[in-house]
């Protein structure tokens, strides 16, 4: 079952995908006026790499810039304790063996060796523990090639038309088409941003996952200030809980969960009170990715090993899901929270888990789910012939995104960075969740020449269908509308019916061919 | 809650049927956990690095001995006693001392004295058990010794100071535990936002508990050592005299620096203190976990004799507080998670077709919110107008008071929850003293003068449905006050409840006589005189942070009321078949918006910190310090929940122009 074979072939190079209308993806050349139209859209942004002021040195390397110092042993020990903790102290004592008694240096050297042996043993169980925190962020981030990406995180506001962009220089910018000011958020502790997310049911709060802590910014939407002071940010930190790779707000806006690959506990924060409850379970060696279901009833928490958990949020119990091959790389929930799609590292498949609502009156067994995950799509490598030669598309999956109406599913394929004919590309599926789950091909989303998709997110409340925002490797952010009439979600009569091109029934050969339906499986 | 503990609470069905059993269960678990903790303690206290196997065999032989079993029974008795004290002294609304003198009063309150004494005695008992367990030189209080130079060696009993120092350490740690409990509000039982099963919650907080106990034991032992160094001779001499023991002059006395520099002794003191605190803390933790467990009340019952146990009835009960809190918690949870129970809330009564359930619940929640709003306005008023009395003309006062006296008095919701400060003031210091503290309220400056408040409390559209619930004669009757009566005047409950008993500003206003003027001046003089004395200022100065905390001490109830209301309103969009919620929507929105304005105003006061203070982890629960921030966030989320659910439909809701403007801000996501 190879799903990509049914897709329309990718565009020739130089063409970019613009939008979906009348059931097909429209494209435009790079030089045409379509291109200009996109450029003029107020929310399309471009961050050239050169414009960012990067700090090229790490914090610890500043030591070398200063003259050699002759501090006393006590001072150095205290500094080592402060900087490197217990191992740093032992290291310092072992190294300064001319000043300390022999027995002390020997015993500390022995303890250090023992500790290292033990930690290497521990590290062999969980190899990710030996990584540096930057590498860890790059490994577990949802962004493709995170360490080299200009746009490191992106988040639409769930209610208002604004979004936050975290850039390579550790600043966050907030764009709002209705306001002239673009606040830039900078904080001493805001380094290596792995994820940002707006608090639901709140206009101002933005949670930021940083290297050492969590920040919750309160950016007053009416304020005219372009540089909110760091006093507007709440710092949430817990010893041992860093780097933070993933965060998720509860859809009701009351709780925030955060995950760190170094910490086996998942933190549930009450942000207003700055208090947290660690939820600890044995196994996994950390938590890497979190996703809260839109109805608020479940949280997906994947670990660095071949295991993920699904927490039920009423009483915070979890069920374990061991995977066969690798860790759970990404996952997304259907809008009603009844279905979870996820991908596993090292595999090219998309799996689905279905949760049925517990019957009313039996509150405790809400976490009883299915017994096994079903394969819904196979994205193994497929060769397409284009005017420019053969292109191989498929392979491992970096991230998944499902639009809020539940009708489009975007899949970011990793590709191969080195090989030119294996680009990272976004494959979009049409999906249907009611009455049965169906998956149909839609097409590939491509950017301008030389730009690869790095990160994508759907707009949370686009009126006329779905709006996919893609951040490209070139530093460009574009928005791709998919115009369709949503069948499942009732419109509350707020926006009226969409006045945009209506999809007509134009059966195309490939588009009508279903890739997966629940009836087949 | 203090005075009528026995009379009101014991008679309540809930305390009898639920709380008592929960307490018993928690004590039973604490007793069941005791053997394992004791075993760990025995091993740690007798451990010797050089003879590990001998240690194990010694421990095993000790654990089966008669003295060990006897001391274990004693320990069980202590645990049961601690559990009983927990049940007796717990509170869901923390008592927050607003000034140093109030804290002092709390510490010296007779009720607290009994608590301290009990803890002291229990500390001695535990320490005695520890002495038996450790054995060796600690085991007995007296030992036979030969006094003198060996020539007239008559056998005597000498005092074993090691035993004594351990017993006194137990007493000291028990006392300090009890006193610290007052300072850190250890008897305060807080509710968690994250629901977990009891076992998992216990397991999750156990490591922190052990750490807390060990550090607290360390500090207590340090303080104890210092005290013993200087005052150790007093109990020593007293014990010698009463028990007819002698001091062995050949042994080094322990109340000296050399005597106390004994690492083994310090280790044993510390490990015993840790053991003592750990067992008590575990009992406390289990009690908290069991008592705050969610209790599911039926929404409606088909039998009339059970009607008093149903949620609408239980919500309106004032006492005991724990019942009200659990009911509100249940309301918040059912509104969030349980469609079938929500359906019962929205249902109509069978003969008659009235939404009694919804009406009772929404009315209770709204009155809670209105109560908080009023409290905030009063507080703000006293702070803002403090010390500005004379600058305002008396004429306007007269006008306001005469106007309001003609108003038909709307029935003011009686204050359900007293501010803890006032409870304290009544029960401990006594009411005559409360005005004494008042003159020393610092003049915080008043950039937020009353015009701004006027707007807040201005009588809006009188025909709007919320008019009666929020506007109370008390607010409109506000006149510039001479000094702050702070929250106390508000919280005293009964005197202000009837409009007839607020005559003071009125009388003063109508007779600006010479006598009043004279009294005024006298008061000012006394105030100025006393204000110059540093100690008095230190004792009586209000702690701004604490008074803000005290204002929001019971806000957990308001948070649940807000959550419950907003979730119910959200659910009503699709689930409410009869439209029962619609009728209350204007009043819900208005009371939320008024509260929002009052809370905003409170956070703009100069002394109110805008961010929660990081508190070190200790056994005392610091949730009450952050309640106001949680309330602010919950309030905003609650309004947003309603606006995002209903969207522009809210434009059809009838409300005052100002509230509409305010609501528009929320609709446009600009708050």
């Amino acid at each position: 079952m190879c799903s990509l074979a049914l897709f329309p072939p990718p565009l020739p190079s130089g063409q970019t995908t613009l939008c979906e209308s009348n059931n097909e993806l429209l494209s435009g050349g790079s030089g045409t006026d379509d291109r200009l139209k996109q450029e003029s859209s107020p929310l399309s942004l471009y961050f050239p790499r050169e414009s960012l002021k990067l700090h090229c040195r790490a914090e610890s390397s500043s030591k070398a810039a200063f003259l050699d110092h002759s501090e006393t042993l006590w001072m150095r020990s205290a500094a080592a304790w402060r900087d490197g903790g217990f191992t740093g102290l032992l290291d310092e004592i072992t190294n300064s063996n001319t000043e300390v008694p022999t027995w002390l240096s020997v015993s500390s050297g022995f303890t250090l060796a023992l500790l290292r042996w033990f930690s290497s043993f521990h590290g062999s169980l969980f190899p990710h523990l030996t990584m540096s925190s930057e590498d860890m962020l790059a490994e577990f981030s949802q962004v493709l090639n995170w360490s080299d990406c200009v746009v490191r995180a992106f988040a639409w506001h769930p209610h208002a038309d604004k979004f936050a962009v975290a850039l390579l220089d550790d600043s966050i910018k907030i764009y709002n088409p209705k306001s002239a000011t673009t606040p830039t958020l900078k904080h001493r502790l805001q380094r290596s941003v792995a994820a940002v997310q707006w608090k639901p049911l709140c206009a101002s709060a933005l949670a930021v996952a940083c290297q050492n802590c969590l920040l919750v910014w309160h950016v007053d939407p009416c304020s005219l200030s372009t540089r909110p002071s760091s006093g507007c940010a709440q710092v949430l930190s817990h010893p041992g809980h860093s780097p933070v790779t993933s965060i998720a707000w509860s859809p009701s806006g009351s709780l925030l969960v955060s995950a760190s690959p170094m910490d086996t506990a998942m933190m549930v924060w009450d942000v207003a009170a700055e208090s947290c409850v660690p939820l600890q379970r044995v196994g996994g060696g950390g938590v890497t990715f979190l996703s809260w279901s839109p109805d608020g009833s479940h949280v997906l928490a994947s670990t660095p090993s071949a295991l993920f958990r699904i927490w039920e949020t009423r009483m915070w119990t979890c069920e374990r899901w061991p995977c066969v091959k690798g860790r759970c790389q990404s996952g997304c929930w259907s809008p009603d929270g009844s279905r979870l799609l996820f991908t596993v590292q090292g595999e090219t498949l998309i799996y689905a888990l279905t949760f049925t609502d517990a019957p009313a009156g039996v509150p405790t067994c809400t976490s009883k789910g299915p017994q096994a995950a079903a394969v819904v799509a196979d994205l193994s490598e497929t060769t397409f012939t284009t005017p420019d030669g053969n292109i191989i598309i498929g392979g491992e999956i970096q991230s998944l995104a499902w639009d809020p109406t539940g009708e489009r599913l975007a899949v970011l394929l990793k590709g191969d960075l080195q090989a030119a004919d294996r680009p990272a590309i976004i494959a979009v599926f049409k999906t249907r969740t009611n009455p049965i789950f169906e998956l149909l091909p839609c097409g590939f989303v491509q950017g301008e020449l030389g730009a690869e998709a790095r990160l994508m997110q759907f707009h949370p409340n686009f009126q006329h269908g779905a709006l996919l925002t893609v951040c490209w490797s070139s530093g460009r952010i574009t928005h791709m509308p998919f115009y369709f009439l949503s069948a499942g979600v009732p419109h509350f009569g707020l926006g009226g019916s969409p006045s945009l091109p209506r999809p007509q029934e134009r059966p195309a050969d490939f588009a009508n061919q279903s890739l997966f339906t629940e009836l087949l499986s | 809650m203090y005075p009528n503990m026995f009379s009101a609470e014991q008679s309540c069905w809930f305390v009898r049927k639920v709380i008592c059993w929960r307490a018993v269960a928690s004590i039973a678990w604490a007793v069941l956990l005791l053997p394992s903790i004791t075993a760990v303690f025995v091993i740690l206290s007798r451990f010797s690095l050089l003879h590990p196997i001998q240690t194990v065999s010694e421990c095993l032989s000790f654990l089966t001995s008669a003295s060990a079993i006897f001391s274990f029974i004693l320990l069980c008795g202590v645990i049961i006693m601690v559990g009983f004290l927990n049940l007796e002294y717990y509170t869901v609304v923390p008592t927050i001392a607003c000034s140093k003198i109030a804290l002092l009063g709390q510490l010296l309150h007779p009720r607290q004295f009994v608590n301290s004494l009990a803890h002291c005695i229990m500390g001695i008992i535990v320490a005695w058990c520890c002495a038996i367990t450790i054995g060796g030189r600690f085991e007995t209080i007296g030992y036979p010794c030969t006094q003198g130079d060996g020539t007239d060696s008559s056998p005597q009993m000498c005092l074993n100071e090691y035993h004594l120092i351990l017993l006194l350490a137990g007493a000291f740690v028990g006392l300090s535990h009890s006193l610290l409990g007052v300072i850190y509000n250890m008897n305060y039982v807080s509710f968690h936002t994250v629901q977990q099963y009891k076992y998992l919650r216990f397991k999750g907080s156990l490591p922190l508990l052990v750490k807390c106990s060990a550090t607290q034991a360390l500090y207590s032992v340090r303080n104890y050592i210092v005290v013993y160094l200087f005052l150790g001779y007093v109990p020593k001499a007293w014990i010698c005299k009463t028990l007819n023991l002698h001091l062995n002059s050949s042994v080094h006395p322990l109340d000296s620096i050399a005597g106390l520099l004994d690492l083994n002794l310090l280790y044993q003191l510390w490990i015993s203190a840790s053991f003592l605190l750990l067992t008590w803390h575990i009992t406390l933790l289990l009690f908290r976990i069991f008592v705050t467990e969610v209790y599911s009340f039926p929404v409606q019952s088909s039998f009339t004799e059970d009607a008093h146990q149903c949620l609408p009835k239980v919500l309106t009960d004032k006492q005991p507080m724990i019942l009200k809190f659990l009911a509100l918690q249940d309301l918040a949870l059912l509104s969030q998670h349980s469609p079938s129970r929500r359906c019962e809330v929205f249902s109509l009564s069978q003969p008659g077709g009235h939404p009694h359930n919804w009406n009772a619940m929404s009315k209770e929640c709204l009155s809670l919110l209105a109560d908080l709003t009023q409290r905030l306005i009063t507080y703000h008023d006293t702070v803002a107008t403090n010390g500005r009395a004379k600058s305002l003309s008396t004429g306007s006062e007269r006008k306001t008071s005469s106007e309001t006296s003609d108003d038909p008095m709307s029935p003011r919701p009686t204050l359900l929850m007293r501010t803890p400060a006032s409870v304290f003031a009544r029960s401990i210091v006594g009411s005559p003293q409360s005005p004494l503290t008042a003159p020393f309220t610092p003049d915080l400056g008043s950039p937020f003068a009353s015009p701004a408040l006027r707007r807040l409390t201005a009588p809006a559209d009188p025909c709007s449905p919320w008019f009666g619930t929020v506007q109370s004669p008390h607010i409109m009757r506000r006149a510039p006050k001479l000094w702050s009566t702070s929250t106390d005047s508000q919280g005293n409950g009964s005197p202000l409840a009837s409009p007839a008993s607020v005559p003071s500003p009125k009388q003063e206003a109508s007779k600006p006589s010479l006598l009043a003027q004279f009294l005024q001046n006298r008061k000012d003089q006394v105030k100025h005189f006393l204000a110059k004395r540093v100690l008095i200022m230190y004792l009586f100065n209000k702690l701004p942070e604490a008074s803000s905390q005290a204002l929001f001490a019971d806000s957990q109830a308001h948070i649940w009321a807000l959550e419950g209301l907003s979730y119910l309103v959200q659910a009503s969009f699709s689930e409410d078949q009869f439209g029962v919620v619609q009728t209350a929507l204007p009043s819900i929105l208005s009371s939320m918006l008024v509260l929002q304005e009052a809370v905003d105003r409170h956070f703009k006061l100069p002394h109110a910190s805008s961010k929660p203070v990081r508190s070190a982890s200790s056994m005392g629960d610091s949730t009450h310090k952050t309640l106001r921030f949680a309330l602010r966030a919950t309030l905003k989320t609650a309004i947003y929940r309603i606006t995002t659910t209903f969207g522009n439909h809210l434009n059809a809701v009838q409300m005052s122009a100002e509230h509409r403007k305010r609501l528009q801000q929320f609709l446009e996501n600009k708050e």
Side-chain angles (χ1 to χ4, degrees), chain B residues 107-119:
Chain B
L107 291 175
L108 299 177
H109 189 255
R111 204 179 137 79
Q112 175 57 34
F113 179 74
V114 173
N115 189 3
S116 302
L117 193 69
H119 277 95

Side-chain angles (χ1 to χ4, degrees), chain A residues 159-160 201-203 221-222 231 233-237 252 268 270 272-274 277 279 281 314-317 364 492, chain B residues 193-197 200 337 340 567 573 611-612 614 626 629-630 633 637 640-641 644 648-649 665 669-671:
Chain A
H159 311 293
L201 299 177
C202 180
C222 299
Q234 276 178 286
V235 181
L236 308 175
S237 64
S252 63
V268 184
D270 182 357
E274 296 195 1
V277 178
L279 296 176
R281 290 293 183 276
R314 178 90 193 269
M315 293 306 279
W316 290 100
T317 52
T364 48
F492 296 139
Chain B
T193 39
V194 177
Q195 302 292 330
Q196 275 179 285
Y197 287 110
L200 293 171
H337 295 296
S340 59
Y567 277 114
F573 191 79
K611 271 199 279 185
R614 264 297 163 89
T626 55
F629 304 104
T637 308
Y640 267 117
R641 188 167 293 134
T644 48
N648 288 337
H649 294 306
Q665 294 276 315
N669 289 299
K670 279 187 179 163
E671 265 301 319

Side-chain angles (χ1 to χ4, degrees), chain A residues 135-336:
Chain A
D135 290 344
M136 207 182 285
L137 285 168
E139 174 74 21
F140 298 119
S141 169
Q142 290 293 295
V143 184
L144 183 57
N145 199 5
W146 177 85
S147 48
D148 188 41
C149 194
V150 178
V151 177
R152 290 194 144 169
F154 178 92
W156 277 105
H157 191 277
H159 311 293
D161 260 338
K162 63 176 173 185
F163 58 82
V165 182
L167 298 172
L168 188 58
D169 62 350
D170 292 338
S171 67
I172 293 178
K173 288 183 195 295
I174 294 169
Y175 289 91
N176 186 349
K178 286 181 192 143
S179 107
T181 54
T182 29
T184 306
L185 312 178
K186 284 188 183 177
H187 196 280
R188 188 172 48 87
L189 294 168
Q190 187 173 294
R191 279 185 284 137
S192 308
V193 176
V196 291
Q197 198 178 15
W198 290 93
K199 178 179 175 179
L201 299 177
C202 180
S204 57
L206 175 74
V208 181
C210 308
Q211 195 171 27
N212 293 320
C213 62
L214 271 169
L215 291 177
V216 180
W217 285 93
H218 294 271
V219 192
D220 185 2
C222 299
S223 161
L224 294 173
S225 147
T226 51
R227 272 295 301 271
S229 77
S230 53
C232 300
Q234 276 178 286
V235 181
L236 308 175
S237 64
H238 192 267
H241 195 70
S242 70
V244 183
T245 52
S246 188
I247 47 176
W249 284 97
S250 74
S252 63
S254 53
L255 298 172
L256 174 71
V257 291
S258 69
S260 166
M262 293 294 279
D263 193 357
T264 51
M266 176 173 96
M267 295 289 160
V268 184
W269 294 91
D270 182 357
V271 173
E274 296 195 1
S275 64
C276 69
V277 178
L279 296 176
Q280 195 135 23
R281 290 293 183 276
V282 180
V287 185
T288 56
F289 172 71
L290 295 170
S291 172
W292 207 309
S293 74
D295 67 340
S297 60
H298 294 92
V299 176
L300 163 73
S302 65
T303 67
S305 34
L307 169 77
F308 66 94
R309 295 193 178 87
I310 290 171
W311 291 85
E312 163 274 320
T313 59
R314 178 90 193 269
M315 293 306 279
W316 290 100
T317 52
C318 67
E319 50 180 292
R320 288 161 56 99
W321 280 90
C323 308
V324 180
K325 224 171 173 184
R327 63 161 205 270
C328 171
Q329 164 67 28
S330 179
C332 62
W333 293 88
S334 68
D336 58 351

Side-chain angles (χ1 to χ4, degrees), chain B residues 126-138:
Chain B
V126 176
W128 185 81
C129 296
C130 289
I132 297 292
T133 311
I134 298 167
R137 54 182 181 169
F138 291 96

Side-chain angles (χ1 to χ4, degrees), chain B residues 600-632:
Chain B
D600 269 1
R601 218 169 280 278
H602 180 82
F603 276 95
K604 279 179 190 151
L605 285 178
H607 60 269
S609 59
S610 60
K611 271 199 279 185
V613 187
R614 264 297 163 89
S615 57
S617 62
S618 73
M619 203 40 214
D621 208 315
S622 61
T623 315
H624 61 276
K625 291 180 184 162
T626 55
L627 271 179
R628 59 183 190 278
F629 304 104
L631 178 89
R632 181 174 60 168

Side-chain angles (χ1 to χ4, degrees), chain A residues 317-363:
Chain A
T317 52
C318 67
E319 50 180 292
R320 288 161 56 99
W321 280 90
C323 308
V324 180
K325 224 171 173 184
R327 63 161 205 270
C328 171
Q329 164 67 28
S330 179
C332 62
W333 293 88
S334 68
D336 58 351
S338 66
R339 194 168 275 111
L340 168 71
L341 300 184
F342 67 93
T343 65
V344 173
Q345 196 192 29
E347 291 185 29
T348 60
L349 305 172
I350 301 177
Y351 294 93
L353 282 177
T354 312
F355 296 86
T356 45
D357 282 338
V362 192

Side-chain angles (χ1 to χ4, degrees), chain B residues 37 95 137 142 220 340 371 390 504 532-533 614 640:
Chain B
I37 304 169
T95 318
R137 54 182 181 169
S220 293
S340 59
D371 168 40
K390 281 177 199 162
S504 52
K532 279 185 195 128
R533 303 294 177 274
R614 264 297 163 89
Y640 267 117

